[in-house]
Amino acid sequence: MNESLLRELVPAVIGVLVRRGADFASAEDAVQEALIRALATWPDDPPRDPKAWLVTAAWHRFLDAARAETSRRGRELTVDAEPPAGQAPATDDTLRLYFLCAHPTLPPGSAVALTLRAVGGLTTRQIATAYLVPEATMAQRISRAKRRIAGLPLDQPGDLGTVLRVLYLVFNEGYGGDVDLAAEAIRLTRQLVALTDDPEVAGLLALMLLHHARRASRTGPGGRLVPLAEQDRSRWDTGLITEGVAILQAALARDQLGEYQAQAAIAALHADARSTSETDWVQIVEWYDELLRITGSPVVRLNRAVAVGEADGPRAGLAALADVSPDLPRYAAVTAYLRERAGDLEHAADLYVEASRAATSVQERDHLTRQAARVRQRPRP
Amino acid sequence: MKYLLLKHYRGGPAPAVDWAPMDQWTPEEVDAHMQYMRDFAARLEETGEFVDAQALAPGGTFVRYDGEGRPPVTDGPFAETKDLIAGWMVIDVESWDRAVELAGELSAAPGAGGEPIHEWLEVRPFLTEPPTVTE
């Protein structure tokens, strides 16, 4: 039994405890403790029925904690020590956990942490390591999040949009210590696709697969960032691309377009091309128009300008920047790129320098610094 | 988002309140100041926002490479005019506004007479990993 199979059991086991009368916060704590014990003991002594083992261990943990709590407060224990073996479908339990852990009242960072623990079955330590904070801090973040949602009914439909945003956040975090968060986000989104019937969930999964397919080519020696135009496309994972495109096509066929499907469509057009010059930029611009119509996002407007620059030339791209706010994080980088393409090398180099100062990641900063240096080396016409 | 709250012995904008150096406070005032820092860190751990806190001794020196086979060149101790870092706290919060809010609270640590010292704290965002989805 490997760790990921063990983790898949976690939401269902929490569901069993909740159905037996445990509140979500205590059930989740008890399962986490059982999980940590399983990780320590199973390698030497694997159980015959892993799920039953986890349910029993977690239920005993829960009873112990509840007894300690009731004696502390001098109150009666209200759950049955020997519960009836009720069997509600486990899929519903898992879906409810997604909604609860990504509840709109939670700050995004807390929703991410709680989702990874209760739905993803990661330990607090793994989540803390992935997000580079002390374990005690992460433990507090999770218990605060649980206090915040305490008392919310588990049996009501939640906000799917927030769930998708949380999964997208996890995916965007990439690698995190010994946990591959991108792969974990894909696993959780895949599971959600099986539990729901919404083309946007499929759209998000397609988007993730299409980006994940390019992962190996996105970084060069020393972790340097390789932009799309320079990526070695033979290293793209064609299996993931095929799967992503198929999922996207099925989703689009349902004719309920949303932002993730539109983003996935753009990723699919990139994945489909053998080079930037063979990329169907006209269609990409059309998808950006759709995306802009759906989201109205200034970042989309900025990215659209890049696509316009490829489809209709750098002058058109610069013109498309006219109604984009220069305060956006990557505004200078996009302007620099378009200026260089338009032959305005002097401005381009200065803009790359400006962009490197505004970069939010080391890789991006280094990449933009290299771009500035490269443009300065170019012979002037 | 992670932010560094940087505390300087010297440097930064002109002090808003011209407070006496710590060695001229009463021991109780010094204790109260330290306790405020500890409580602040404990509170951030409680809210799930604490990452790290470290203090630096004022002594030290600048060091640089001086060529193959030669010992490194040192320059110090720091001149009185130089910026001098006293320590830092690293926080992990949901927004820039929250980072500024917390820096403001930390700057309210009490000094002589139990009054806030209003010291300047520098707030700097960390560079992160690039997002997986880039275009």
Side-chain angles (χ1 to χ4, degrees):
Chain A
M1 167 125 217
N2 65 36
E3 193 189 313
S4 67
L5 283 170
L6 168 60
R7 293 205 278 112
E8 279 173 30
L9 296 171
V10 164
V13 175
I14 293 174
V16 171
L17 264 65
V18 168
R19 244 178 300 120
R20 286 183 179 183
D23 63 287
F24 166 70
S26 314
E28 204 275 336
D29 274 336
V31 175
Q32 172 81 189
E33 284 176 40
L35 171 75
I36 289 168
R37 225 180 88 209
L39 287 168
T41 59
W42 286 13
D44 297 328
D45 185 15
R48 216 169 333 144
D49 182 346
K51 186 177 170 189
W53 187 100
L54 271 182
V55 168
T56 306
W59 184 248
H60 285 143
R61 293 271 171 175
F62 166 72
L63 287 180
D64 288 347
R67 280 195 196 100
E69 179 71 3
T70 45
S71 70
R72 194 171 65 80
R73 294 194 182 169
R75 286 211 311 241
E76 286 296 302
L77 186 56
T78 51
V79 291
D80 299 326
E82 289 302 326
Q87 276 298 336
T91 56
D92 291 354
D93 290 338
T94 304
L95 183 57
R96 283 167 195 159
L97 283 186
Y98 275 93
F99 288 136
L100 192 61
C101 294
H103 199 270
T105 55
L106 293 175
S110 304
V112 161
L114 193 52
T115 299
L116 286 174
R117 205 171 98 145
V119 189
L122 292 172
T123 64
T124 305
R125 180 189 298 257
Q126 287 172 316
I127 303 167
T129 309
Y131 286 90
L132 303 173
V133 300
E135 192 177 345
T137 295
M138 191 51 83
Q140 285 297 345
R141 197 178 291 178
I142 289 166
S143 55
R144 270 175 82 89
K146 290 202 293 188
R147 279 203 298 279
R148 209 154 169 162
I149 55 170
L152 287 175
L154 260 168
D155 55 354
Q156 279 176 12
D159 182 351
L160 196 56
T162 339
V163 174
L164 297 185
R165 269 194 295 284
V166 164
L167 295 173
Y168 186 69
L169 273 179
V170 174
F171 180 73
N172 254 330
E173 200 60 36
Y175 288 108
D178 65 336
V179 179
D180 184 342
L181 289 175
E184 182 61 14
I186 289 174
R187 183 178 79 79
L188 294 179
T189 308
R190 219 184 259 288
Q191 188 172 274
L192 188 60
V193 167
L195 299 172
T196 52
D197 183 35
D198 186 309
E200 270 296 85
V201 185
L204 178 61
L205 178 59
L207 175 66
M208 288 177 177
L209 293 171
L210 290 164
H211 277 275
H212 205 55
R214 304 209 290 262
R215 173 145 88 172
S217 65
R218 222 168 13 229
T219 45
R224 63 180 274 181
L225 197 139
V226 183
L228 183 59
E230 292 160 30
Q231 287 175 14
D232 175 0
R233 296 181 182 222
S234 70
R235 294 178 70 201
W236 289 0
D237 186 326
T238 48
L240 287 179
I241 291 173
T242 308
E243 191 193 354
V245 168
I247 291 170
L248 174 65
Q249 280 170 342
L252 288 174
R254 299 180 57 184
D255 208 18
Q256 299 165 42
L257 189 62
E259 56 177 307
Y260 294 112
Q261 293 170 79
Q263 280 194 71
I266 293 166
L269 285 167
H270 285 304
D272 192 40
R274 278 183 297 178
S275 67
T276 32
S277 58
E278 286 178 51
T279 304
D280 188 346
W281 290 104
V282 174
Q283 233 199 110
I284 288 181
V285 172
E286 287 169 11
W287 278 112
Y288 272 119
D289 289 337
E290 289 284 356
L291 196 52
L292 198 54
R293 194 180 50 74
I294 299 166
T295 65
S297 150
V299 175
V300 170
R301 211 180 282 275
L302 181 65
N303 290 338
R304 181 183 170 279
V306 179
V308 169
E310 300 293 343
D312 302 329
R315 295 281 163 210
L318 286 166
L321 277 178
D323 51 353
V324 179
S325 161
D327 297 336
L328 286 177
R330 288 178 58 247
Y331 183 88
V334 168
T335 317
Y337 175 74
L338 290 170
R339 290 270 188 187
E340 185 191 354
R341 301 253 316 191
D344 181 1
L345 301 188
E346 217 58 62
H347 267 114
D350 291 346
L351 283 164
Y352 274 128
V353 173
E354 188 188 326
S356 75
R357 293 207 186 103
T360 57
S361 76
V362 177
Q363 288 86 337
E364 205 184 330
R365 182 195 63 190
D366 295 352
H367 170 70
L368 292 165
T369 306
R370 266 194 304 274
Q371 296 294 81
R374 181 184 52 75
V375 173
R376 292 224 197 279
Q377 297 281 312
R378 275 183 65 174
R380 297 294 183 265
Chain B
M1 284 290 294
K2 290 196 183 67
Y3 294 90
L4 179 71
L5 311 186
L6 201 55
K7 185 183 164 81
H8 299 252
Y9 283 117
R10 291 197 300 269
V17 173
D18 201 11
W19 43 276
M22 224 179 216
D23 56 54
Q24 291 168 28
W25 302 357
T26 67
E28 292 73 27
E29 285 164 352
V30 173
D31 283 347
H33 182 84
M34 301 307 176
Q35 189 60 44
Y36 185 94
M37 301 293 186
R38 277 195 297 276
D39 290 347
F40 183 80
R43 198 148 46 84
L44 288 195
E45 192 159 291
E46 183 72 21
T47 58
E49 295 171 310
F50 177 83
V51 179
D52 183 40
Q54 299 290 337
L56 297 174
T61 187
F62 282 97
V63 178
R64 70 170 173 83
Y65 175 67
D66 194 38
E68 192 60 51
R70 295 162 64 97
V73 174
T74 61
D75 181 25
F78 310 116
E80 279 295 317
T81 53
K82 282 195 178 120
D83 181 28
L84 195 54
I85 290 164
W88 65 76
M89 189 174 283
V90 179
I91 57 175
D92 186 10
V93 294
E94 291 288 343
S95 67
W96 164 257
D97 289 347
R98 175 68 178 156
V100 169
E101 180 189 349
L102 288 174
E105 282 179 34
L106 186 57
S107 162
E115 291 298 311
I117 57 175
H118 298 274
E119 89 179 306
W120 287 106
L121 290 173
E122 191 180 347
V123 184
R124 303 276 302 272
F126 274 57
L127 287 175
T128 61
E129 288 295 308
T132 310
V133 176
T134 45
E135 73 275 345

